[in-house]
Amino acid sequence: MEPILVYGFPLGSSMGLVAALEWLGQPYRLCRVDMLGEMREPSYARINARHETPALITEEGRALTETMAIAAWLEARDSEGRISFEPRSAEADRMHQLMGFVNTGFTGAFVPLWAALEMAQPDPALQETLRRFGAELVIDRHDKLEAMIGETPFLVGERPSLADGVLIGVARWLEFHGVADLERWPKLAELRRRIEADPAVIFATAIENGEQPVGSGAFKGHVPLAEVIERFGA
Ligand SMILES: N[C@@H](CCC(=O)N[C@@H](CS)C(=O)NCC(=O)O)C(=O)O
């Protein structure tokens, strides 16, 4: 069977992995999950006990969670070097370094902002503190990412890689939370424009929006969440 990427909407980090699947060009399916609804239901724990997306159902039907593990799974199947680089090369090391930074400090910086937004029992004073703290963290992590961006068109080299995919699903949260003007980080602004203009990212964004875009041909359709849970859940 084709692997199935379980992706979350709205604004899931998983969007970048959908783009990576398009770049990879091997047959895959998708499973769409409303992160504000069905992902919180007890049955979703059978796919990910931490109630998070993304998750990947492998060709053997195993549920694999955590972005970095899914990225490693994709990299291991990238025999044509479409989304990654020669093992043990400087490019491969840099790609892993950037993915590690984006998936930890950069992504984590947004946690206080999400917490303030999604607080079940509103607490204006705490929410204001979280927003201020989150904005400081996000700006600091953007400063650091800006300093890590080199002179190449994409994060590592001339073409998009897993590092660009992991970044692009998360980076748009800057605007969603209204933290700062992206132009404050000129290299990142240019990089994001380039990645966002890529056909695979346009495809992934349209999928997230519930549209039916025409992709590379690798996408073989959606599988309903109930079926994924029933067939592959723990
Ligand atoms: N460490 C996990 C974190 C995944 C994560 O935080 N996913 C978010 C969506 S991008 C999520 O599901 N959050 C739970 C929620 O929104 O309730 C990974 O890297 O895959």
PDB file of all heavy atoms in Angstrom, residues 11-14 35 39-40 51-54 65-68 103 118 173, ligand 1:
ATOM      1  N   LEU A  11      -3.758  25.381   9.348  1.00  0.00           N
ATOM      2  CA  LEU A  11      -2.397  25.879   9.572  1.00  0.00           C
ATOM      3  C   LEU A  11      -1.455  24.879  10.213  1.00  0.00           C
ATOM      4  O   LEU A  11      -0.638  25.240  11.056  1.00  0.00           O
ATOM      5  CB  LEU A  11      -2.432  27.155  10.437  1.00  0.00           C
ATOM      6  CG  LEU A  11      -2.818  28.458   9.752  1.00  0.00           C
ATOM      7  CD1 LEU A  11      -2.843  29.595  10.782  1.00  0.00           C
ATOM      8  CD2 LEU A  11      -1.883  28.826   8.610  1.00  0.00           C
ATOM      9  N   GLY A  12      -1.578  23.606   9.842  1.00  0.00           N
ATOM     10  CA  GLY A  12      -0.717  22.586  10.436  1.00  0.00           C
ATOM     11  C   GLY A  12       0.709  22.661   9.911  1.00  0.00           C
ATOM     12  O   GLY A  12       0.949  22.998   8.757  1.00  0.00           O
ATOM     13  N   SER A  13       1.637  22.294  10.778  1.00  0.00           N
ATOM     14  CA  SER A  13       3.029  22.204  10.319  1.00  0.00           C
ATOM     15  C   SER A  13       3.143  21.117   9.256  1.00  0.00           C
ATOM     16  O   SER A  13       4.066  21.135   8.435  1.00  0.00           O
ATOM     17  CB  SER A  13       3.945  21.874  11.495  1.00  0.00           C
ATOM     18  OG  SER A  13       3.539  20.655  12.098  1.00  0.00           O
ATOM     19  N   SER A  14       2.200  20.175   9.263  1.00  0.00           N
ATOM     20  CA  SER A  14       2.229  19.054   8.308  1.00  0.00           C
ATOM     21  C   SER A  14       2.199  19.505   6.848  1.00  0.00           C
ATOM     22  O   SER A  14       2.581  18.749   5.971  1.00  0.00           O
ATOM     23  CB  SER A  14       1.055  18.109   8.537  1.00  0.00           C
ATOM     24  OG  SER A  14       0.256  18.428   9.614  1.00  0.00           O
ATOM     25  N   MET A  35      -7.799  19.701  13.454  1.00  0.00           N
ATOM     26  CA  MET A  35      -7.049  19.722  14.726  1.00  0.00           C
ATOM     27  C   MET A  35      -7.866  20.307  15.874  1.00  0.00           C
ATOM     28  O   MET A  35      -7.554  20.088  17.037  1.00  0.00           O
ATOM     29  CB  MET A  35      -5.750  20.512  14.561  1.00  0.00           C
ATOM     30  CG  MET A  35      -4.745  19.829  13.666  1.00  0.00           C
ATOM     31  SD  MET A  35      -3.127  20.571  13.811  1.00  0.00           S
ATOM     32  CE  MET A  35      -3.345  22.103  12.928  1.00  0.00           C
ATOM     33  N   MET A  39      -9.167  15.630  16.072  1.00  0.00           N
ATOM     34  CA  MET A  39      -7.864  15.246  16.625  1.00  0.00           C
ATOM     35  C   MET A  39      -7.903  15.144  18.150  1.00  0.00           C
ATOM     36  O   MET A  39      -7.083  14.469  18.766  1.00  0.00           O
ATOM     37  CB  MET A  39      -6.796  16.251  16.202  1.00  0.00           C
ATOM     38  CG  MET A  39      -5.380  15.782  16.475  1.00  0.00           C
ATOM     39  SD  MET A  39      -4.145  16.934  15.901  1.00  0.00           S
ATOM     40  CE  MET A  39      -4.174  18.160  17.188  1.00  0.00           C
ATOM     41  N   ARG A  40      -8.876  15.833  18.757  1.00  0.00           N
ATOM     42  CA  ARG A  40      -8.962  15.840  20.228  1.00  0.00           C
ATOM     43  C   ARG A  40      -9.822  14.704  20.765  1.00  0.00           C
ATOM     44  O   ARG A  40      -9.905  14.509  21.976  1.00  0.00           O
ATOM     45  CB  ARG A  40      -9.502  17.182  20.693  1.00  0.00           C
ATOM     46  CG  ARG A  40      -8.557  18.297  20.260  1.00  0.00           C
ATOM     47  CD  ARG A  40      -8.972  19.667  20.701  1.00  0.00           C
ATOM     48  NE  ARG A  40      -7.949  20.636  20.301  1.00  0.00           N
ATOM     49  CZ  ARG A  40      -8.018  21.932  20.512  1.00  0.00           C
ATOM     50  NH1 ARG A  40      -9.057  22.433  21.133  1.00  0.00           N
ATOM     51  NH2 ARG A  40      -7.049  22.729  20.120  1.00  0.00           N
ATOM     52  N   HIS A  51      -2.150  13.218  20.713  1.00  0.00           N
ATOM     53  CA  HIS A  51      -3.168  14.007  19.995  1.00  0.00           C
ATOM     54  C   HIS A  51      -2.532  15.137  19.187  1.00  0.00           C
ATOM     55  O   HIS A  51      -2.897  16.310  19.343  1.00  0.00           O
ATOM     56  CB  HIS A  51      -4.223  14.549  20.973  1.00  0.00           C
ATOM     57  CG  HIS A  51      -5.080  13.462  21.560  1.00  0.00           C
ATOM     58  ND1 HIS A  51      -6.269  13.067  20.989  1.00  0.00           N
ATOM     59  CD2 HIS A  51      -4.872  12.666  22.625  1.00  0.00           C
ATOM     60  CE1 HIS A  51      -6.777  12.074  21.716  1.00  0.00           C
ATOM     61  NE2 HIS A  51      -5.942  11.812  22.708  1.00  0.00           N
ATOM     62  N   GLU A  52      -1.582  14.769  18.338  1.00  0.00           N
ATOM     63  CA  GLU A  52      -0.913  15.753  17.490  1.00  0.00           C
ATOM     64  C   GLU A  52      -0.842  15.231  16.054  1.00  0.00           C
ATOM     65  O   GLU A  52      -0.879  14.020  15.825  1.00  0.00           O
ATOM     66  CB  GLU A  52       0.518  16.018  17.990  1.00  0.00           C
ATOM     67  CG  GLU A  52       0.588  16.719  19.327  1.00  0.00           C
ATOM     68  CD  GLU A  52       2.012  16.880  19.850  1.00  0.00           C
ATOM     69  OE1 GLU A  52       2.919  16.136  19.439  1.00  0.00           O
ATOM     70  OE2 GLU A  52       2.202  17.743  20.711  1.00  0.00           O
ATOM     71  N   THR A  53      -0.711  16.141  15.128  1.00  0.00           N
ATOM     72  CA  THR A  53      -0.325  15.817  13.760  1.00  0.00           C
ATOM     73  C   THR A  53       1.046  16.456  13.533  1.00  0.00           C
ATOM     74  O   THR A  53       1.392  17.410  14.251  1.00  0.00           O
ATOM     75  CB  THR A  53      -1.334  16.393  12.746  1.00  0.00           C
ATOM     76  OG1 THR A  53      -1.474  17.792  12.983  1.00  0.00           O
ATOM     77  CG2 THR A  53      -2.664  15.693  12.816  1.00  0.00           C
ATOM     78  N   PRO A  54       1.841  15.981  12.575  1.00  0.00           N
ATOM     79  CA  PRO A  54       1.558  14.934  11.608  1.00  0.00           C
ATOM     80  C   PRO A  54       1.775  13.530  12.175  1.00  0.00           C
ATOM     81  O   PRO A  54       2.408  13.347  13.200  1.00  0.00           O
ATOM     82  CB  PRO A  54       2.607  15.206  10.523  1.00  0.00           C
ATOM     83  CG  PRO A  54       3.784  15.762  11.281  1.00  0.00           C
ATOM     84  CD  PRO A  54       3.174  16.595  12.383  1.00  0.00           C
ATOM     85  N   THR A  65       4.904   8.728  14.344  1.00  0.00           N
ATOM     86  CA  THR A  65       4.660  10.133  14.687  1.00  0.00           C
ATOM     87  C   THR A  65       5.978  10.873  14.863  1.00  0.00           C
ATOM     88  O   THR A  65       7.043  10.251  14.851  1.00  0.00           O
ATOM     89  CB  THR A  65       3.845  10.248  15.994  1.00  0.00           C
ATOM     90  OG1 THR A  65       4.598   9.642  17.052  1.00  0.00           O
ATOM     91  CG2 THR A  65       2.487   9.577  15.866  1.00  0.00           C
ATOM     92  N   GLU A  66       5.885  12.179  15.017  1.00  0.00           N
ATOM     93  CA  GLU A  66       7.000  13.124  15.177  1.00  0.00           C
ATOM     94  C   GLU A  66       7.587  13.502  13.810  1.00  0.00           C
ATOM     95  O   GLU A  66       8.071  12.642  13.054  1.00  0.00           O
ATOM     96  CB  GLU A  66       8.105  12.596  16.107  1.00  0.00           C
ATOM     97  CG  GLU A  66       7.658  12.417  17.556  1.00  0.00           C
ATOM     98  CD  GLU A  66       7.224  13.734  18.214  1.00  0.00           C
ATOM     99  OE1 GLU A  66       7.819  14.782  17.944  1.00  0.00           O
ATOM    100  OE2 GLU A  66       6.257  13.692  18.993  1.00  0.00           O
ATOM    101  N   THR A  67       7.553  14.790  13.567  1.00  0.00           N
ATOM    102  CA  THR A  67       8.014  15.346  12.294  1.00  0.00           C
ATOM    103  C   THR A  67       9.413  14.850  11.913  1.00  0.00           C
ATOM    104  O   THR A  67       9.663  14.483  10.767  1.00  0.00           O
ATOM    105  CB  THR A  67       8.023  16.892  12.397  1.00  0.00           C
ATOM    106  OG1 THR A  67       6.701  17.312  12.713  1.00  0.00           O
ATOM    107  CG2 THR A  67       8.489  17.534  11.109  1.00  0.00           C
ATOM    108  N   MET A  68      10.315  14.833  12.886  1.00  0.00           N
ATOM    109  CA  MET A  68      11.691  14.453  12.562  1.00  0.00           C
ATOM    110  C   MET A  68      11.787  12.978  12.169  1.00  0.00           C
ATOM    111  O   MET A  68      12.579  12.614  11.302  1.00  0.00           O
ATOM    112  CB  MET A  68      12.631  14.756  13.740  1.00  0.00           C
ATOM    113  CG  MET A  68      12.696  16.231  14.077  1.00  0.00           C
ATOM    114  SD  MET A  68      13.312  17.236  12.708  1.00  0.00           S
ATOM    115  CE  MET A  68      15.054  17.011  12.917  1.00  0.00           C
ATOM    116  N   ASN A 103      12.459  22.544  14.043  1.00  0.00           N
ATOM    117  CA  ASN A 103      11.483  21.688  14.735  1.00  0.00           C
ATOM    118  C   ASN A 103      11.507  21.857  16.260  1.00  0.00           C
ATOM    119  O   ASN A 103      10.556  21.488  16.935  1.00  0.00           O
ATOM    120  CB  ASN A 103      11.727  20.219  14.361  1.00  0.00           C
ATOM    121  CG  ASN A 103      10.685  19.293  14.961  1.00  0.00           C
ATOM    122  OD1 ASN A 103      10.986  18.460  15.806  1.00  0.00           O
ATOM    123  ND2 ASN A 103       9.434  19.457  14.548  1.00  0.00           N
ATOM    124  N   GLU A 118      -5.731  29.476  22.533  1.00  0.00           N
ATOM    125  CA  GLU A 118      -6.614  28.319  22.679  1.00  0.00           C
ATOM    126  C   GLU A 118      -7.051  28.068  24.121  1.00  0.00           C
ATOM    127  O   GLU A 118      -7.686  27.049  24.402  1.00  0.00           O
ATOM    128  CB  GLU A 118      -5.912  27.068  22.122  1.00  0.00           C
ATOM    129  CG  GLU A 118      -5.714  27.159  20.609  1.00  0.00           C
ATOM    130  CD  GLU A 118      -4.891  26.015  20.030  1.00  0.00           C
ATOM    131  OE1 GLU A 118      -4.435  25.147  20.805  1.00  0.00           O
ATOM    132  OE2 GLU A 118      -4.696  25.997  18.804  1.00  0.00           O
ATOM    133  N   TRP A 173       3.076  31.001  10.748  1.00  0.00           N
ATOM    134  CA  TRP A 173       2.450  31.352  12.033  1.00  0.00           C
ATOM    135  C   TRP A 173       2.852  32.757  12.478  1.00  0.00           C
ATOM    136  O   TRP A 173       2.170  33.370  13.284  1.00  0.00           O
ATOM    137  CB  TRP A 173       2.841  30.335  13.117  1.00  0.00           C
ATOM    138  CG  TRP A 173       2.367  28.922  12.849  1.00  0.00           C
ATOM    139  CD1 TRP A 173       1.445  28.522  11.905  1.00  0.00           C
ATOM    140  CD2 TRP A 173       2.765  27.730  13.528  1.00  0.00           C
ATOM    141  NE1 TRP A 173       1.276  27.159  11.953  1.00  0.00           N
ATOM    142  CE2 TRP A 173       2.070  26.643  12.943  1.00  0.00           C
ATOM    143  CE3 TRP A 173       3.651  27.466  14.570  1.00  0.00           C
ATOM    144  CZ2 TRP A 173       2.234  25.323  13.378  1.00  0.00           C
ATOM    145  CZ3 TRP A 173       3.820  26.147  15.007  1.00  0.00           C
ATOM    146  CH2 TRP A 173       3.115  25.094  14.414  1.00  0.00           C
TER     147      TRP A 173
HETATM  148  N1  LIG B   1       6.814  17.166  18.341  1.00  0.00           N
HETATM  149  C1  LIG B   1       5.741  17.056  17.384  1.00  0.00           C
HETATM  150  C2  LIG B   1       4.861  18.283  17.527  1.00  0.00           C
HETATM  151  C3  LIG B   1       3.715  18.276  16.566  1.00  0.00           C
HETATM  152  C4  LIG B   1       2.752  19.401  16.851  1.00  0.00           C
HETATM  153  O1  LIG B   1       2.920  20.202  17.784  1.00  0.00           O
HETATM  154  N2  LIG B   1       1.695  19.452  16.074  1.00  0.00           N
HETATM  155  C5  LIG B   1       0.680  20.442  16.288  1.00  0.00           C
HETATM  156  C6  LIG B   1       0.113  20.920  14.972  1.00  0.00           C
HETATM  157  S1  LIG B   1       1.298  21.663  13.963  1.00  0.00           S
HETATM  158  C7  LIG B   1      -0.453  19.832  17.050  1.00  0.00           C
HETATM  159  O2  LIG B   1      -0.936  18.782  16.675  1.00  0.00           O
HETATM  160  N3  LIG B   1      -0.856  20.486  18.145  1.00  0.00           N
HETATM  161  C8  LIG B   1      -1.911  20.035  18.988  1.00  0.00           C
HETATM  162  C9  LIG B   1      -3.111  20.907  18.977  1.00  0.00           C
HETATM  163  O3  LIG B   1      -3.200  21.797  18.119  1.00  0.00           O
HETATM  164  O4  LIG B   1      -3.985  20.708  19.818  1.00  0.00           O
HETATM  165  C10 LIG B   1       6.315  16.964  15.975  1.00  0.00           C
HETATM  166  O5  LIG B   1       7.381  17.531  15.723  1.00  0.00           O
HETATM  167  O6  LIG B   1       5.699  16.317  15.121  1.00  0.00           O
END
